[in-house]
Amino acid sequence: MDRAAEALTPGTPSRYPYFTSLSLAISGPYKPNNNPSGRIMSVVWKIRVRQWGLEKNPLIPEPTTSHPLQGVKDRTLKQAGLVYEKKSRPTVQPMMIDPLSSVLDGPDPLSDLLGASDPLSGKAFPSASRQAMEADKDTEMAITDSRHSTWEQHRAFILSNFTTTGTLTFTSSFLQPSDSAESRAVPLHRRVVKTQTAVTERHRTPGMSGSERIRARLEQLDTLDEMSGGGVVREVGGLTQEEFTHRLNGLKQELTEAWQSDQRVKALKIAIQCVKLLSLSVPEHFYPSKFVLVIDILDTLASLVYQRLKFKSQSENFPVGGSDTGKLEAQETTRNWFYKVASIRELLPRLYLEAALLPCYSLINVQEGEQALSRLSRMIRGIGDPLMAAYARMYVCRMGFVIAPTLTQHISESIEDFLHALKQGLWPEGEADMNMGEDKDSLAARVFFPPLEWMMQCLASCAPHHILQSILRQCEEGEGLGQNLLVSSLLATFPHHFIALQALPLTHLIAGCSYPGKLQHELLSSLGVCVNQAAPPQQQQLPLLNAVWKLIARVPNTKDYLSTAGIWLEFTAKHFTSVEVNTLLGDVLKHVGTDRSHDQTHYPAMLALVSTALTNSTDPHSLFSMKHFLGLLNVFQRDSVSAGDGVTRGVVEALLTHHPGDFTDPILVQHLLTLCGALHDSINALTTDDERRQLSQLIISFIRQVNFGRDFEQQLDFYVNARAAFSNLDTVLVSLVQCVCRLAMATWNVMHSQHSGKTASFVRACAAYCFITVPSLAYSTTRLKLYLLSGTVALINNCLGQGDACMKAAIMEVLEIEGSTESAPTSQVLRLLVANLASTLVATPDPPDASPPLYLLRGLTNALRSSSWQKETDIQAVLSISLLHALSAASQDSLPYHIHSVEGNDSLYGGDPKVQQEAEQLCTTLLHNILLHIQSLTGIHEKRCGPLAFSLFWCIVTWCDLTQPQMMKVTSQIWSLVLKHCHPETVVQARDWISRHSVHQKHTSLAQLVRHGQA
């Protein structure tokens, strides 16, 4: 660092080998380009002496009584030629009012819009239809607890988790002939198809008497009984799951078509035969999905029946006073439907269909529906297969929750019956495991959990506390698979506050659940999620944590251990101090240390531990002084992290997000520097630009959060190490240069701009850091910006040699911009950069050995003239105008501004006339080049003269002595171009300013120029 600073100490030009070519260019004679126009060459730029004290015109505040927007409105109306009569207003009372509203003539248009009625609120749907839609929505979203799933979510879960790769058998009397690929895939001897004749509804024949209609209905019921019980039915075997699902969906479509064609019996028969598919529970691992598919068909039929009956009860087609007649007919039709269902011989179709039609009881008597619900829940006891009975109870509870959400007796009885059925045996004796595809016990736990979870969810949504307590007692009295599933579903569905109160007894229950089902660590994880949402009583928290952690410590699998420990670490961080968190992390490190062979496989889980501890700790800052927390960070070593795994990035993001304030601990900073170095080293040729940008922003965030306070030397050492670690990321290097400049200014601020010997050496080291770092950047535009920033900071800190070196380097970058391969910056960006550089050079003193004066500005002028700018652009002329401003300001006996504690050229040269002569010579040459460029703009390019002429005109008016006839003539010609090519409003504003300025400064030449423009 000292050698770098020494290389930038002031001295002879030989100490600047990098600027040798520039020095030669600056020190050489200034030869203007050959000019074929003698008239232009005769023009000489004479700089007017500016009196800064006299020219200052401070703004004087004036009171106003009108609103600024009202004036704009009046002026706009006036320009449009409209007559605007301002209404008289009463005297405003001294109270708080809206200043904008006070000038409005009429009501606020936004308030009118808010007061208007919503066009979609009352006209989109009739009232009856809207009420029906709201009722359907309430039914669909009946279960509103945030942790409870809707039926659609439950359905999607079952269909995605219970699949089969074996063959299935489809039984129906509605198989239609098909030559599709799936039908041909079935063996020919199994492809049996029967044509079904639709059953006509003879009781609807017009002209029938009452007795004939009753007789026809009874005959239809007999036909239905034959079709549902003893009709000819064929089956197709060898179907895949996709083919089976496709055939069920086909029957669903056929049911809808039959209903729309008034074939109600056929629709009912299709639903009956679909329900009969549930009487075959093999294969067990597909039965839940088959249940869901059949339920979809039942829901379709139930919806069609309910909508028809409700429409009949609300129909307005009856004569006056006949509304009761419509309701009675609807009730009669409803009872007929239940009679049809009651005539079905088999238990399973009769039970499912009556359960599907339970909402129709709302049209007869709600109490009858509740009685039917209780009766159906008891009827299920007649189903011998535990699996079929479990899903039948699930469907009855679902429909019961729709019609009577507050009733819980049937749900409690269903849960008791469910547990009793599990004790009687699950599978028939001697059944082969190969038919199930997995172990019997695991399969039983998997297929029996969805119905129990749904029943417990319905119960938890509306049951009082004592009912929930009774379920907990059943858990304590249960055994085997039933106890395991009951505890698991209780943790998944019951309210968090209830579980938090019973957390300690539940922990003892989990410790005793040894039957295959939900594993112990899964139950502990579910319990942990609940207590993280609702805290247990304070006196139970420590015993609960001790009891749970004893069970977690015995989890054999490291992955399961880490996932469960992460959940309970959140509980510990929320309710205990960092000491307890550190203790748990120590146990985690002990487990991970015994499994070193699979370190990287556990990185995501360990990352979650870091994030959890930081997010939920009551004192995150104290974690960074804990031994085991730092040891956990040590696990993520730079040499053991594979590129692109995302773990290291996750650790850094967690630390940056949750760390309170800046990083001040050197050990933690070193850890993060190592991790960020790993991220930097993972970048290769395959890394996308977006990934590179994201990693750069992450590293920059870390760098900006490092703060060692007043220990500036340690801060600079960190920046030096960071530069070595992130040398391939330009955006990071740019941020480092900016941070070092900010560090130098912080030193200047602490010393109150009066550096001591030590701090002076330190800021020179900062300048050397920037000067060494900037050349490694890829883009010349970025280098120019940073050289300018670094040079300005160096000059403010009175490091004149370093500032001079940075300014020379910035001038060299102007030469590099035009010839660089990077995407060319826009002319506006380049104009701003060069203007900023030139204005900085105005206050920058010349080096002691510089000759002639204005050494740096002359070098910038040479750089602009020697560059091969594109001919079709005006960039060289625009930049030359910026230099005219800078050279004219730099030649003044008193500079318009100075750098604090730095003597400018006005003090160094003491008003030497050589300074003004040099500036005028440079300005004259620049003016000639600008005029030649303007003359060359002809034809379609002539319109580009407007902005150039206007900029040059302002520069001449501001700095030039217009008492010369030739200069006044050129100025008049430029003003003519302004009048010709600029916008009229711009011309008016310029003329007004010139008129005021000429009177104030007593410039008769400007007044003549205005009169010439008006003529």
Side-chain angles (χ1 to χ4, degrees):
M1 186 64 63
D2 294 338
R3 285 181 292 178
E6 184 180 342
L8 293 179
T9 52
T12 61
S14 61
R15 292 196 178 187
Y16 302 97
Y18 182 72
F19 303 113
T20 303
S21 58
L22 178 63
S23 300
L24 294 176
I26 293 177
S27 61
Y30 193 95
K31 298 179 180 180
N33 293 333
N34 295 329
N35 190 350
S37 176
R39 180 177 57 184
I40 294 179
M41 285 297 296
S42 61
V43 179
V44 178
W45 184 279
K46 290 295 183 179
I47 300 175
R48 177 168 60 91
V49 178
R50 302 288 295 274
Q51 300 294 331
W52 307 115
L54 298 178
E55 292 183 15
K56 287 183 179 181
N57 187 19
L59 294 177
I60 301 175
E62 298 179 358
T64 181
T65 58
S66 61
H67 194 282
L69 297 182
Q70 185 68 33
V72 173
K73 181 178 180 181
D74 294 341
R75 184 167 62 251
T76 304
L77 292 174
K78 183 177 180 180
Q79 292 176 356
L82 302 177
V83 178
Y84 177 69
E85 296 182 0
K86 190 172 183 180
K87 299 181 179 179
S88 61
R89 293 185 175 274
T91 304
V92 179
Q93 298 297 328
M95 58 183 296
M96 296 300 295
I97 63 172
D98 183 8
L100 297 180
S101 301
S102 62
V103 297
L104 291 174
D105 292 326
D108 182 8
L110 295 181
S111 300
D112 291 343
L113 291 178
L114 291 176
S117 60
D118 184 5
L120 300 180
S121 60
K123 299 181 181 180
F125 304 100
S127 58
S129 301
R130 184 168 65 252
Q131 291 174 1
M133 292 179 61
E134 292 174 356
D136 294 340
K137 182 178 180 181
D138 293 340
T139 301
E140 178 67 22
M141 301 301 295
I143 300 176
T144 58
D145 196 304
S146 59
R147 66 188 309 226
H148 292 169
S149 60
T150 63
W151 175 252
E152 289 300 322
Q153 295 171 337
H154 210 66
R155 175 184 180 275
F157 171 79
I158 291 176
L159 290 177
S160 61
N161 287 274
F162 297 94
T163 59
T164 182
T165 56
T167 58
L168 303 170
T169 302
F170 192 89
T171 304
S172 176
S173 60
F174 288 89
L175 298 175
Q176 300 297 330
S178 176
D179 293 329
S180 63
E182 76 163 271
S183 180
R184 290 193 297 269
V186 180
L188 184 60
H189 67 281
R190 303 300 301 277
R191 205 187 316 157
V192 183
V193 179
K194 174 183 178 294
T195 303
Q196 173 67 37
T197 303
V199 179
T200 59
E201 299 188 353
R202 293 179 56 247
H203 67 282
R204 295 184 177 277
T205 305
M208 295 181 64
S209 63
S211 60
E212 291 175 347
R213 183 174 299 179
I214 294 175
R215 187 182 301 109
R217 187 184 297 276
L218 293 176
E219 291 175 358
Q220 185 181 359
L221 293 176
D222 293 338
T223 304
L224 172 63
D225 183 63
E226 293 176 0
M227 294 167 57
S228 62
V232 180
V233 178
R234 298 292 184 266
E235 68 176 20
V236 175
L239 298 177
T240 63
Q241 177 182 342
E242 182 179 358
E243 294 168 348
F244 185 87
T245 304
H246 178 70
R247 290 183 181 273
L248 274 179
N249 291 334
L251 285 182
K252 180 180 178 181
Q253 180 65 27
E254 188 172 355
L255 183 148
T256 305
E257 294 173 356
W259 185 272
Q260 292 174 353
S261 60
D262 289 338
Q263 299 182 33
R264 319 291 188 202
V265 176
K266 178 180 178 180
L268 181 58
K269 181 191 172 184
I270 293 175
I272 292 172
Q273 293 193 0
C274 290
V275 175
K276 285 184 177 181
L277 294 175
L278 298 178
S279 62
L280 182 64
S281 60
V282 179
E284 287 80 2
H285 53 274
F286 181 67
Y287 188 83
S289 293
K290 182 166 61 173
F291 164 80
V292 167
L293 295 173
V294 172
I295 290 306
D296 289 344
I297 298 176
L298 280 181
D299 289 344
T300 301
L301 177 65
S303 176
L304 293 172
V305 173
Y306 180 77
Q307 290 176 6
R308 177 173 177 269
L309 296 176
K310 189 173 183 179
F311 175 77
K312 292 186 68 174
S313 66
Q314 298 177 351
S315 177
E316 300 177 357
N317 297 328
F318 297 101
V320 179
S323 58
D324 293 338
T325 305
K327 292 182 179 179
L328 291 175
E329 184 173 345
Q331 291 177 0
E332 180 186 358
T333 308
T334 303
R335 293 187 185 277
N336 288 338
W337 270 103
F338 283 112
Y339 293 154
K340 290 179 184 180
V341 172
S343 66
I344 302 175
R345 294 179 178 177
E346 297 187 14
L347 172 61
L348 205 61
R350 184 170 71 252
L351 188 148
Y352 271 98
L353 282 168
E354 185 174 359
L357 298 178
L358 280 176
C360 297
Y361 274 107
S362 62
L363 304 175
I364 305 176
N365 191 331
V366 177
Q367 294 181 354
E368 290 187 24
E370 296 176 357
Q371 294 173 4
L373 176 61
S374 179
R375 174 172 49 82
L376 288 175
S377 63
R378 292 184 176 92
M379 284 174 58
I380 301 176
R381 298 172 182 175
I383 301 177
D385 191 308
L387 185 59
M388 288 188 287
Y391 281 87
R393 291 187 178 94
M394 176 182 180
Y395 186 65
V396 171
C397 287
R398 178 200 168 200
M399 301 309 300
F401 195 85
V402 172
I403 66 169
T406 59
L407 293 182
T408 59
Q409 181 63 29
H410 70 282
I411 303 177
S412 301
E413 292 177 355
S414 297
I415 294 175
E416 292 179 5
D417 294 342
F418 175 87
L419 298 176
H420 181 73
L422 291 184
K423 295 179 182 179
Q424 304 303 316
L426 301 177
W427 318 115
E429 292 295 333
E431 187 173 351
D433 291 349
M434 57 181 295
N435 293 333
M436 303 180 186
E438 60 181 312
D439 178 71
K440 286 184 178 182
D441 296 333
S442 301
L443 177 63
R446 198 162 64 91
V447 298
F448 279 101
F449 183 72
L452 179 60
E453 182 186 26
W454 183 263
M455 289 186 288
M456 295 282 284
Q457 176 176 299
C458 294
L459 183 66
S461 300
C462 56
H465 188 270
H466 69 274
I467 299 295
L468 303 183
Q469 283 289 138
S470 65
I471 297 297
L472 182 59
R473 286 194 296 270
Q474 291 185 34
C475 293
E476 297 172 350
E477 297 170 359
E479 59 182 13
L481 178 61
Q483 184 190 38
N484 187 292
L485 295 181
L486 195 59
V487 172
S488 178
S489 58
L490 184 149
L491 294 174
T493 59
F494 275 30
H496 291 140
H497 66 273
F498 176 82
I499 296 176
L501 292 174
Q502 307 295 333
L504 200 54
L506 284 172
T507 304
H508 299 320
L509 280 177
I510 293 173
C513 288
S514 59
Y515 190 87
K518 291 289 184 179
L519 298 178
Q520 191 177 79
H521 73 87
E522 295 176 335
L523 297 177
L524 290 174
S525 298
S526 300
L527 179 61
V529 171
C530 294
V531 296
N532 285 334
Q533 297 296 325
Q538 187 174 4
Q539 64 273 15
Q540 296 182 14
Q541 291 177 0
L542 185 57
L544 174 63
L545 179 60
N546 291 331
V548 168
W549 202 261
K550 289 179 181 179
L551 299 177
I552 296 176
R554 293 201 296 264
V555 176
N557 185 275
T558 305
K559 181 179 179 181
D560 298 337
Y561 168 83
L562 290 175
S563 63
T564 311
I567 296 175
W568 282 94
L569 182 63
E570 178 181 349
F571 173 77
T572 307
K574 284 181 177 179
H575 304 290
F576 296 92
T577 65
S578 299
V579 177
E580 287 79 7
V581 174
N582 187 57
T583 303
L584 298 189
L585 292 178
D587 187 69
V588 170
L589 289 175
K590 185 188 302 181
H591 275 75
V592 174
T594 61
D595 196 8
R596 286 290 184 182
S597 60
H598 304 287
D599 252 353
Q600 294 189 13
T601 60
H602 304 320
Y603 277 172
M606 297 171 66
L607 166 63
L609 293 178
V610 174
S611 180
T612 299
L614 290 172
T615 307
N616 300 282
S617 178
T618 56
D619 185 14
H621 186 73
S622 62
L623 288 175
F624 295 96
S625 61
M626 295 296 176
K627 173 183 177 182
H628 297 308
F629 182 80
L630 295 178
L632 188 61
L633 294 181
N634 261 334
V635 175
F636 303 98
Q637 293 298 326
R638 179 176 181 176
D639 57 350
S640 62
V641 177
S642 59
D645 61 358
V647 175
T648 304
R649 179 176 176 176
V651 173
V652 176
E653 289 177 346
L655 291 173
L656 296 182
T657 303
H658 304 298
H659 187 273
D662 297 330
F663 293 103
T664 58
D665 185 6
I667 298 177
L668 181 59
V669 169
Q670 186 59 40
H671 279 302
L672 277 170
L673 186 63
T674 302
L675 295 175
C676 291
L679 293 177
H680 171 271
D681 296 342
S682 68
I683 298 176
N684 50 38
L686 301 179
T687 305
T688 63
D689 293 340
D690 187 62
E691 292 176 352
R692 183 186 295 268
R693 179 187 59 81
Q694 293 178 10
L695 292 178
S696 299
Q697 291 300 323
L698 186 63
I699 295 173
I700 290 173
S701 299
F702 158 61
I703 291 174
R704 291 178 176 174
Q705 280 188 250
V706 175
N707 184 7
F708 292 112
R710 291 293 186 90
D711 194 349
F712 294 153
E713 292 184 355
Q714 187 178 9
Q715 190 82 23
L716 184 59
D717 289 339
F718 165 74
Y719 291 144
V720 171
N721 296 332
R723 180 180 60 185
F726 313 124
S727 57
N728 293 330
L729 295 175
D730 278 8
T731 53
V732 177
L733 295 180
V734 170
S735 180
L736 285 172
V737 172
Q738 294 171 347
C739 290
V740 171
C741 289
R742 186 167 64 246
L743 182 63
M745 292 307 300
T747 307
W748 180 84
N749 188 40
V750 169
M751 298 302 296
H752 303 288
S753 72
Q754 301 295 328
H755 284 293
S756 63
K758 183 177 181 180
T759 58
S761 300
F762 178 78
V763 294
R764 284 196 295 269
C766 292
Y769 179 99
C770 298
F771 186 77
I772 294 172
T773 307
V774 172
S776 62
L777 301 177
Y779 296 124
S780 55
T781 305
T782 306
R783 294 197 298 267
L784 174 58
K785 293 178 181 179
L786 293 182
Y787 275 133
L788 183 57
L789 173 65
S790 304
T792 304
V793 172
L795 291 174
I796 292 176
N797 285 276
N798 210 8
C799 301
L800 301 182
Q802 289 75 14
D804 181 54
C806 291
M807 294 303 171
K808 289 181 180 179
I811 295 173
M812 291 296 295
E813 291 300 332
V814 176
L815 295 172
E816 298 291 335
I817 288 178
E818 183 63 22
S820 63
T821 58
E822 64 179 289
S823 57
T826 62
S827 58
Q828 180 68 10
V829 173
L830 188 58
R831 185 188 69 82
L832 293 176
L833 286 175
V834 174
N836 192 2
L837 174 60
S839 61
T840 305
L841 294 180
V842 170
T844 302
D846 286 344
D849 54 351
S851 179
L854 304 181
Y855 176 76
L856 294 175
L857 280 172
R858 187 173 70 252
L860 179 59
T861 305
N862 282 335
L864 292 179
R865 293 184 62 254
S866 61
S867 299
S868 56
W869 305 98
Q870 298 179 2
K871 301 298 182 182
E872 62 274 9
T873 64
D874 304 324
I875 184 62
Q876 187 174 15
V878 171
L879 299 182
S880 298
I881 294 175
S882 298
L883 275 179
L884 286 178
H885 285 281
L887 288 168
S888 301
S891 64
Q892 299 294 319
D893 292 340
S894 176
L895 296 179
Y897 49 85
H898 295 81
I899 299 175
H900 181 74
S901 70
V902 176
E903 293 184 349
N905 286 331
D906 53 349
S907 300
L908 294 179
Y909 290 103
D912 191 343
K914 292 182 179 180
V915 177
Q916 186 170 357
Q917 295 174 4
E918 180 69 16
E920 290 177 347
Q921 180 183 358
L922 296 174
C923 290
T924 300
T925 305
L926 291 174
L927 177 64
H928 292 164
N929 294 336
I930 296 170
L931 293 177
L932 285 175
H933 179 77
I934 293 177
Q935 287 182 357
S936 65
L937 297 177
T938 59
I940 61 175
H941 302 292
E942 188 176 359
K943 61 182 180 181
R944 289 159 47 191
C945 293
L948 282 177
F950 189 73
S951 300
L952 180 60
F953 174 77
W954 277 117
C955 185
I956 293 174
V957 170
T958 304
W959 297 106
C960 195
D961 184 4
L962 297 179
T963 57
Q964 305 176 79
Q966 290 295 332
M967 178 57 69
M968 189 63 193
K969 184 176 181 180
V970 172
T971 306
S972 177
Q973 294 175 354
I974 296 174
W975 177 249
S976 300
L977 293 177
V978 172
L979 295 176
K980 181 178 180 181
H981 297 288
C982 291
H983 193 274
E985 186 176 354
T986 303
V987 175
V988 171
Q989 294 177 358
R991 185 183 288 119
D992 293 342
W993 184 91
I994 292 173
S995 300
R996 294 193 305 269
H997 192 67
S998 60
V999 173
H1000 180 69
Q1001 299 291 341
K1002 298 180 180 181
H1003 287 174
T1004 58
S1005 56
L1006 287 179
Q1008 295 174 2
L1009 184 63
V1010 171
R1011 289 194 296 271
H1012 169 73
Q1014 291 176 346

